[in-house]
Amino acid sequence: MIAGLEALTPAEARATMRDGRWTGITAGLAPAFAQANLVILPRDLDYDFLLFCVRNPKPCPLLDVTDAGSPVPQLAAPGADLRTDLPRYRVYRDGELVDEPLSIERYWSDDLVSFLLGCSFTFEHGLIEAGVPVRHIECGCNVPMFATNLACQPSGIFSGPLVVSMRPIPANLVAAAVQVSGRYPSVHGAPIQIGAPETLGIADLGKPDWGDPVPLLPGEVPVFWACGVTPQAVAMQARPSLMITHAPGHMFLTDIPVASLATA
Amino acid sequence: MIAGLEALTPAEARATMRDGRWTGITAGLAPAFAQANLVILPRDLDYDFLLFCVRNPKPCPLLDVTDAGSPVPQLAAPGADLRTDLPRYRVYRDGELVDEPLSIERYWSDDLVSFLLGCSFTFEHGLIEAGVPVRHIECGCNVPMFATNLACQPSGIFSGPLVVSMRPIPANLVAAAVQVSGRYPSVHGAPIQIGAPETLGIADLGKPDWGDPVPLLPGEVPVFWACGVTPQAVAMQARPSLMITHAPGHMFLTDIPVASLATA
């Protein structure tokens, strides 16, 4: 960690990523500002993917969409460049991972549209501030994620299951977890299900499809939130000629204050 | 009014519109369910208009978008037909009003995409239930609406000013009005400005650009909400070859319970 990195503004932190000084994960950086998932797709898929996000707002909360060819997210961070300002990217061709570069200038073209989607880091910070423990952060691992038996609303070539993240919550804090996360509809909002993994088609909480398993302690209830991996998983399944995303955990730091995303 | 019309379900009420028994305004019908603005555009404008809505969620809260050529809003009312189930429509050619029919079957083609946008009727019901008076309902007139000096975020050919609705609220109830409407981000949400019409470029509250003037009484504050007329005004200004909307006040009744739109 660069000394004092946590204390930088989003613009300062993005500068350390732009010039290659910071290539690590973004958890804990600029905690008062929303972080975002990045999905970049060719223009011929833009309408269907945009509509997929609109039809599935809980897993796909859109924070910004660029004009085709523009690397500047005008709403989320007008001074940023999406080609260089994330610490690490993933590049997929026909649904296969082909590169994990630190910048994507060499892949850029006027044909690309960038989608920024809200990230659960935002409401996790709220949970912790409200005294609700977040197990995977305590464990220093990634949140466990599961494909469910619930189908997303399809749009054009994009369809697939809803992916959820799971956090074990002490039974007496489940209501608080609902209330705190529900205040942030633009970063997944309230849980989609509480306490019944089997009805989501999840046979074994110890075997997540993505991320790491975390222990469920006595007196805790598994709580499921719509997960931002959903649009990536759905997009990958459609095998676009080119898709570029952030590398897991290496998110885009927006200039959007977390507090501005809270509803009444 | 058809006897008992207010007590019908949305599906039953839509049937009275489909067969021409009800051709009037929809205020007060099926009050537990969200009503929606309708904008229908040719497919060549769908991406730019969808992105305009995504970039301007306060005036343009999307409830559903149909597949091109489909008159069925799968999310908002899967049993409905948007060609027949509104009481009255408006048809524009190149930005000019050319017809105000009771159904639009003769205008329909596989080239059309329908957008359903949240309507302030929904939060007004919540205001009244919370004891916040709604002047234009008391007066039996339309809400006053104003074009502001705030520009919407443009998308392609779509750009223009934010249109706001104004409701005079007693000073001691302004906070409640914020809290109640803020619970409904998908139907315009919290006010965008409170108490300073001049900084929005509104010179005379007695001369609205749309709707009817309402009195502002002593001790009341003008409160401004983003208005669903915005996307229609912006779309009209782009002079599309064909645009079809609901006639003012003649909204689409969805199957979406108002309560399901409330955040924590």
Side-chain angles (χ1 to χ4, degrees), chain A:
Chain A
M1 181 67 83
I2 298 172
L5 189 59
E6 326 76 52
L8 298 182
T9 68
E12 291 166 343
R14 289 193 302 263
T16 70
M17 300 164 192
R18 187 179 304 185
D19 64 16
R21 279 179 291 147
W22 183 253
T23 60
I25 64 166
T26 54
L29 299 190
F33 297 86
Q35 299 196 13
N37 298 283
L38 173 66
V39 176
I40 301 177
L41 287 169
R43 194 171 190 170
D44 62 334
L45 298 178
D46 59 5
Y47 182 77
D48 285 348
F49 190 70
L50 182 60
L51 184 53
F52 182 85
C53 294
V54 165
R55 287 182 174 167
N56 298 280
K58 291 206 92 168
C60 313
L62 284 167
L63 294 179
D64 203 353
V65 182
T66 62
D67 288 321
S70 169
V72 180
Q74 287 292 345
L75 300 183
D81 187 326
L82 293 172
R83 297 170 298 188
T84 53
D85 288 8
L86 284 78
R88 195 179 294 268
Y89 300 80
R90 283 193 168 176
V91 179
Y92 300 85
R93 295 245 186 232
D94 303 315
E96 303 292 333
L97 180 66
V98 296
D99 196 2
E100 194 170 286
L102 303 182
S103 88
I104 54 165
E105 286 155 300
R106 90 196 77 146
Y107 294 101
W108 195 256
S109 81
D110 282 351
D111 190 48
L112 297 178
V113 177
S114 302
F115 299 82
L116 290 172
L117 300 137
C119 158
S120 58
F121 283 10
T122 305
F123 76 74
E124 286 178 348
H125 188 66
L127 291 176
I128 292 166
E129 286 194 320
V132 179
V134 178
R135 180 66 32 79
H136 65 276
I137 294 178
E138 294 170 349
C139 294
C141 66
N142 200 351
V143 68
M145 292 166 271
F146 301 87
T148 68
N149 57 12
L150 300 174
C152 291
Q153 294 288 339
S155 167
I157 63 165
F158 296 108
S159 64
L162 175 69
V163 178
V164 294
S165 59
M166 190 281 288
R167 293 166 187 79
I169 306 286
N172 66 320
L173 292 173
V174 172
V178 171
Q179 291 178 303
V180 169
S181 59
R183 251 177 246 145
Y184 298 97
S186 55
V187 284
H188 305 309
I192 62 116
Q193 213 249 42
I194 296 169
E198 61 285 0
T199 66
L200 292 173
I202 300 171
D204 185 348
L205 286 176
K207 293 184 179 162
D209 297 307
W210 295 268
D212 301 309
V214 297
L216 183 75
L217 304 181
E220 291 184 338
V221 175
V223 178
F224 300 93
W225 277 268
C227 177
V229 162
T230 309
Q232 271 194 44
V234 159
M236 204 160 353
Q237 208 171 302
R239 303 192 161 273
S241 57
L242 177 65
M243 173 167 88
I244 304 172
T245 71
H246 64 284
H250 298 67
M251 319 303 289
F252 178 67
L253 272 62
T254 77
D255 292 339
I256 303 169
V258 169
S260 74
L261 296 174
T263 59

